Amino acid sequence: MKGRKGNIGCFLLRCLTRPLAILPLSFHRACGKVIGRATGSLARYRRDVVMTNLARSFPDKKYEELENICHRAYEHFGKLITETIWFGAGNFRDRIFKSHIVEITNPELINGLHDKGKSIFALASHSGNWELIGGYPHYSYQEPLKFDEKDICVVYRAMSSHAWDKFMRLNRIAALKDKKHYDGMVETYSVLRYAIRNKDRQILYNFITDQHPYSPTSCVRVKDFLHQPTLSMDGAAALAHKFGAAAVYLGMRENPDGNYSITYTLIAEDSSKMSVKEILDRYYELLENDIQEQPWNYLWTHKRWK
């Protein structure tokens, strides 16, 4: 019975969003920007949180500059919502591939680690559109990733609504070839069991790492991130360290055409040789560099610092 919770709600959500998903990506992005402006200017959704985060993160910027970043960040926020509907609700895998909505710039780094027999923990963030990460086994246009889609794990946090949780899980795997047998969408509290069960396989794990820690017993105090004292969840770094896996930073930047580029940066080939804090310090350093380059391309509405 537990597995059926939310089925009806999920079905209704997919019925409502599927007609929208048929419309072109350009239409979705244009609508998303309008939705984002309304969310920030009219509804003023978490406007105070956004401006406080920006002011503390960029103390040298003038108020007008912060306002401009805020305005563009809300446009980006709306774009994330409509892109996600376009991506998953229609379930058109070939269209996703042909769109180049996301492209991996350096698959050779991942493939080189695969050739060395390494499992990989990719530490991602709320930059770009993280809801598209579930399809990225098929975003490598230069050379195919040597990790098959069945060997790629995406770690997520379950939503309180069973209907929305099922809807989003289905949405995230829209680009996969074999959705029926894919078991790599793993809830955060189950990932340790999943990793132990698959310790003899080469897995490419993907963790959103820049959330405020869910538990006071599973966090690390890292060096200041964007000029602010920061606690980080330690899950990805701790598991990479425990299993001696490789750790990479997954950067996701927005291109001028609105699509995204994923670029990996090696943090450690053997994470057991670095402490969890050292891995996370390097991750936040790389993330901060990306945010400085594209400050609008980040989820400023979440309460990263509490």
Side-chain angles (χ1 to χ4, degrees):
M1 191 70 182
K2 182 179 178 182
R4 296 182 180 180
K5 287 183 178 179
N7 281 354
I8 295 175
C10 176
F11 174 76
L12 292 174
L13 285 169
R14 291 186 70 80
C15 288
L16 289 170
T17 54
R18 187 176 176 83
L20 294 174
I22 296 172
L23 297 168
L25 180 57
S26 58
F27 174 84
H28 281 264
R29 285 176 168 162
C31 290
K33 289 183 179 181
V34 173
I35 291 170
R37 292 188 202 114
T39 301
S41 301
L42 299 178
R44 300 188 68 84
Y45 170 72
R46 293 196 172 186
R47 178 84 177 200
D48 291 342
V49 172
V50 172
M51 287 303 293
T52 298
N53 283 340
L54 289 173
R56 291 175 177 172
S57 299
F58 304 104
D60 297 331
K61 292 189 182 296
K62 296 180 180 178
Y63 181 79
E64 291 77 12
E65 293 178 281
L66 298 177
E67 278 278 326
N68 288 334
I69 295 171
C70 177
H71 177 76
R72 191 164 179 186
Y74 272 106
E75 287 188 346
H76 178 66
F77 177 73
K79 176 173 170 279
L80 300 182
I81 296 170
T82 53
E83 281 176 344
T84 301
I85 292 172
W86 178 89
F87 177 83
N91 206 22
F92 307 123
R93 192 176 67 81
D94 290 341
R95 183 183 68 166
I96 293 169
F97 181 79
K98 291 176 182 177
S99 73
H100 287 244
I101 190 170
V102 183
E103 185 166 352
I104 297 170
T105 65
N106 59 339
E108 66 277 1
L109 174 60
I110 298 300
N111 288 340
L113 292 169
H114 180 277
D115 289 344
K116 293 178 180 180
K118 305 295 293 186
S119 284
I120 304 171
F121 284 78
L123 281 64
S125 72
H126 285 94
S127 291
N129 190 339
W130 57 94
E131 293 294 351
L132 308 182
I133 287 178
Y136 90 73
H138 308 288
Y139 297 152
S140 187
Y141 296 89
Q142 299 177 39
E143 61 178 85
L145 285 183
K146 293 185 178 181
F147 284 91
D148 190 83
E149 67 180 29
K150 72 179 185 301
D151 299 319
I152 295 179
C153 171
V154 178
V155 181
Y156 73 100
R157 178 81 184 274
M159 303 177 76
S160 57
S161 164
H162 293 290
W164 274 106
D165 190 59
K166 287 199 171 188
F167 173 79
M168 291 306 299
R169 278 192 284 119
L170 289 171
N171 212 80
R172 290 163 181 149
I173 63 172
L176 302 189
K177 296 176 183 176
D178 187 2
K179 303 175 185 64
K180 184 177 180 180
H181 298 101
Y182 179 69
D183 68 346
M185 192 65 61
V186 180
E187 211 279 331
T188 184
Y189 292 111
S190 301
V191 69
L192 176 58
R193 291 193 296 274
Y194 180 91
I196 292 173
R197 188 170 67 248
N198 293 284
K199 60 184 176 61
D200 296 324
R201 289 172 58 197
Q202 281 183 259
I203 304 287
L204 173 54
Y205 294 88
N206 300 273
F207 282 75
I208 302 294
T209 302
D210 61 334
Q211 287 276 44
H212 191 273
Y214 302 144
S215 167
T217 61
S218 183
C219 64
V220 174
R221 168 71 164 84
V222 297
K223 64 181 180 181
D224 286 1
F225 169 52
L226 290 170
H227 306 283
Q228 298 169 80
T230 301
L231 290 174
S232 174
M233 56 173 56
D234 66 356
L239 287 173
H241 175 82
K242 176 181 178 64
F243 291 106
V248 300
Y249 167 72
L250 188 161
M252 196 173 190
R253 294 197 177 194
E254 185 177 9
N255 302 327
D257 63 359
N259 289 343
Y260 301 96
S261 293
I262 286 177
T263 302
Y264 300 103
T265 304
L266 182 65
I267 296 175
E269 190 169 306
D270 181 352
S271 298
S272 67
K273 295 180 179 178
M274 292 178 70
S275 70
V276 172
K277 184 180 185 314
E278 287 173 331
I279 294 169
L280 289 171
D281 280 345
R282 179 59 175 149
Y283 162 80
Y284 279 103
E285 178 184 356
L286 292 165
L287 175 56
E288 182 166 333
N289 289 341
D290 276 351
I291 293 172
Q292 293 286 357
E293 290 288 328
Q294 292 189 335
W296 70 87
N297 185 37
Y298 192 62
L299 184 64
W300 294 105
T301 55
H302 73 317
K303 295 182 179 180
R304 179 63 191 84
W305 301 273
K306 296 183 181 180

